[in-house]
Amino acid sequence: MIDKQSPIPIYHQLEEYIKQLIESGILKPDEAIPSEREYSEQYQISRMTVRQALNNLVNDGYLYRQKGRGTFVNKQKVEQKLQGLTSFTEDMKERGMVPSSRLISFEIIPAEPQLARKLDIKEYTPVYEIKRVRMADNLPMALETTCLPANLVKGLTEEIINKSLYQHIEEKLSLTISEATQQIEASIAKETEVNHLQVESGSPVLLIVRTSFLEDGTPFELVKSAYRADRYKFVHTMQRAA
Ligand code: 16G
């Protein structure tokens, strides 16, 4: 597996080898991997080299560490396609995972000027502000703050937002959700994100800001989310112009 004559650095060879074992399912989620010492003895390589390979795999979300217990295989990341406009509930159900939410706060606030502009409403008109931890199979995936004009997306209750916002908008309010614009940016989890997402401080997150529109072009939500970078990857198919 390890070729010391190869120009490819040894830590990288070890990293790729462990990655293959994970991707092919030979190493299973939550299974402990051998220790630094075991790898170093087995392949006659320095512990520093092993540590570098394992650190990279932890940072890329393939492995996770538990203090005093060792290093374990992470669950495979959720692959999120960047094509259709789908809800969190739909995305998780499609993967056979059970979606749930933990409500952090739910209030009606006056829209400050920047938010009002983005939602195309008058300044200081009421908006719902909802903070939820979105979970899949009881594991926190994202911390999401959603702002919706209260005069447009009417009648929200805790019960509704603990289920699906999009389902309420489409089925109860009979509004047609049409499109969204979205930006994705890399960042490091802030303190609230560390707490709610149950990650270590310094962990990477993907920040997503989405504005979504109804059929007639009216913006109905501005959503800011922090997704755990160790649980998520975004996949986009592109076509080259003819
Ligand atoms: C997703 C959407 C969010 C939407 C929510 C509705 C992203 C980045 N965000 O989380 O804009 O409000 O789904 O989910 O994908 P729900 O219908 O399950 O409440």
Side-chain angles (χ1 to χ4, degrees), residues 2 10 53-54 60 65-66 77 83 85 90 100 107 119 133 148 151-152 168 186 198 207 212 226 233 242:
I2 304 287
I10 294 174
L54 299 187
D60 287 348
R65 288 201 174 96
Q66 277 196 345
K77 289 187 185 184
Q83 270 95 316
L85 174 50
E90 290 163 342
S100 60
E107 40 189 2
L119 288 176
V133 181
L148 314 110
N151 301 329
L152 179 63
H168 174 76
Q198 293 165 22
L207 297 182
S212 313
K233 66 174 152 193

Side-chain angles (χ1 to χ4, degrees), residues 8-22:
I8 301 168
I10 294 174
Y11 76 85
H12 190 68
Q13 292 184 46
L14 180 61
E15 202 180 309
E16 288 303 311
Y17 172 61
I18 299 174
K19 226 187 254 186
Q20 266 177 31
L21 295 180
I22 296 173

Side-chain angles (χ1 to χ4, degrees), residues 87-89 132 134 144 164-166 210 221 223 227:
S87 73
F88 184 84
T89 303
R132 301 184 278 180
R134 310 302 313 255
E144 191 175 75
S164 166
L165 194 57
Y166 276 17
R210 183 191 275 196
E221 67 168 0
V223 188
Y227 279 76

Side-chain angles (χ1 to χ4, degrees), residues 111-178:
E112 41 80 24
Q114 210 192 353
L115 175 63
R117 201 165 351 105
K118 289 192 174 137
L119 288 176
D120 199 15
I121 52 177
K122 289 214 178 73
E123 290 178 10
Y124 308 110
T125 47
V127 290
Y128 286 113
E129 190 199 66
I130 304 161
K131 286 196 175 100
R132 301 184 278 180
V133 181
R134 310 302 313 255
M135 330 232 266
D137 290 345
N138 281 325
L139 269 179
M141 306 292 280
L143 177 63
E144 191 175 75
T145 305
T146 313
C147 293
L148 314 110
N151 301 329
L152 179 63
V153 184
K154 295 186 183 123
L156 291 184
T157 62
E158 264 190 44
E159 204 195 332
I160 291 166
I161 52 188
N162 280 334
K163 286 187 18 217
S164 166
L165 194 57
Y166 276 17
Q167 194 184 351
H168 174 76
I169 293 174
E170 292 179 322
E171 291 176 15
K172 290 274 146 29
L173 301 178
S174 302
L175 298 170
T176 307
I177 297 173
S178 153

